[in-house]
Amino acid sequence: MRQARVARAGSPALLADGRTLSGAMLRQLFLGQCLVLALHLAWMPAWLVAIALLTAGYRTLQLRGRLGRAGVVMRLAGVAALCGGLWLHYGTLGQMEAMIGLLLGVYLLKLLETHTRRDGRVVVAIGFVATTVAFLHDQGIPMAAGGLLALAWLVHSLVWLSGGDGRRAWRESAWLLALSAPLMVLLFVSFPRLGPLWNLPQADRASTGLTDEIAPGDIAQLSRSDARAFRARFEGAEPVPAERYWRVYTLSDFDGERWRRATPERLAALLGQPEAEFVGEGRRAEGGARTPGVAS
């Protein structure tokens, strides 16, 4: 048993011809795909796992001589099925989640045509991109830990593809990651927190929060916004959660297409009361100024 483990750890990345990837290297690439896919599964369709398993199963049978190489028709059919599944799931391919799903699907299907060292490097490069994209879902500590694990595995795959065996590649990968750790910490501390430099299209998506107007049918999918609406401070004991409810304003003016906040002038004219009845002034907040509001 120990000899088998040693042989597996010291397996070469290429076969004797010096061009074709070995079974051990293909397993390494597949496990890297599984790690990257795991970062996305909480937000992506679960049937992407089936694509990964079917692709790995086909390559396993091919290595055993039971199936031939996947031709162009099969690969195109796989991409078409992927696009069709994403279209049925999201209703569009222009949404951010659909684009991420397309990237992951192509990443998994790439194993069908991965035969040489160059193909293996392409798979690893796509894996780096897919790992980075996972942070569009979440930027918490668990995601960072999972991303670091996937990154270490991908770096090991890349080093192993450069030559040598798997055991030596682990030592070199650990050395490379250790050298890059100080730079990573320095950039985390000193680099300014900038907004995203890209703008992925969001189809019919709204977010929670306050808005001045709304129209029926605008919202097809709702996302949560962490923008601060207001601060509240209590004099004395804090009320129970059932009593901590604020009615901020009412959208009462409808023009046939959209709901808007009615102005004090319009409310006064409609209800025949003085305009002052519909204007209130809140208490001054720290660092802020009093601003008149519309009563509802």
Side-chain angles (χ1 to χ4, degrees), residues 70-118:
V72 176
V73 175
M74 177 180 292
R75 299 198 299 269
L76 290 178
V79 174
L82 170 66
C83 294
L86 292 173
W87 182 274
L88 292 175
H89 188 87
Y90 293 107
T92 179
L93 293 179
Q95 193 174 330
M96 184 182 72
E97 283 84 357
M99 292 181 179
I100 296 176
L102 184 60
L103 171 65
L104 291 175
V106 171
Y107 175 46
L108 299 173
L109 291 173
K110 182 64 179 176
L111 202 64
L112 288 175
E113 58 178 10
T114 302
H115 303 286
T116 64
R117 191 197 303 266
R118 177 185 176 278

Side-chain angles (χ1 to χ4, degrees), residues 254-277:
F254 184 60
D255 61 2
E257 294 183 358
R258 307 187 72 83
W259 289 93
R260 296 181 176 85
R261 296 177 61 186
T263 62
E265 296 84 358
R266 182 172 177 80
L267 289 174
L270 289 175
L271 301 178
Q273 298 183 18
E275 184 178 331
E277 294 291 330

Side-chain angles (χ1 to χ4, degrees), residues 86-289:
L86 292 173
W87 182 274
L88 292 175
H89 188 87
Y90 293 107
T92 179
L93 293 179
Q95 193 174 330
M96 184 182 72
E97 283 84 357
M99 292 181 179
I100 296 176
L102 184 60
L103 171 65
L104 291 175
V106 171
Y107 175 46
L108 299 173
L109 291 173
K110 182 64 179 176
L111 202 64
L112 288 175
E113 58 178 10
T114 302
H115 303 286
T116 64
R117 191 197 303 266
R118 177 185 176 278
D119 297 334
R121 288 171 175 167
V122 171
V123 171
V124 174
I126 301 176
F128 283 128
V129 176
T131 301
T132 305
V133 169
F135 289 95
L136 292 177
H137 302 302
D138 180 60
Q139 296 86 37
I141 294 179
M143 177 64 76
L148 185 60
L149 176 62
L151 178 65
W153 191 272
L154 294 174
V155 171
H156 173 253
S157 303
L158 198 60
V159 174
W160 192 4
L161 281 168
S162 300
D165 54 43
R167 178 182 298 177
R168 183 181 304 172
W170 273 122
R171 291 197 297 267
E172 295 181 9
S173 301
W175 177 245
L176 290 174
L177 291 173
L179 289 177
S180 62
L183 178 61
M184 178 183 64
V185 174
L186 178 63
L187 291 176
F188 179 81
V189 173
S190 62
F191 202 77
R193 300 296 190 268
L194 300 178
L197 301 180
W198 58 88
N199 184 19
L200 293 174
Q202 302 286 339
D204 297 331
R205 167 163 290 197
S207 62
T208 57
L210 302 179
T211 179
D212 289 332
E213 61 180 43
I214 190 173
D218 276 354
I219 301 175
Q221 188 173 1
L222 186 67
S223 62
R224 295 183 62 86
S225 171
D226 58 357
R228 183 183 299 111
F230 66 94
R231 291 183 180 273
R233 179 177 298 173
F234 304 99
E235 296 180 357
E238 181 178 309
V240 296
E243 298 177 358
R244 295 200 301 267
Y245 174 80
W246 283 270
R247 183 179 179 181
V248 182
Y249 57 71
T250 302
L251 303 178
S252 58
D253 188 11
F254 184 60
D255 61 2
E257 294 183 358
R258 307 187 72 83
W259 289 93
R260 296 181 176 85
R261 296 177 61 186
T263 62
E265 296 84 358
R266 182 172 177 80
L267 289 174
L270 289 175
L271 301 178
Q273 298 183 18
E275 184 178 331
E277 294 291 330
F278 304 99
V279 178
E281 190 174 79
R283 295 179 59 183
R284 184 187 303 274
E286 294 182 5

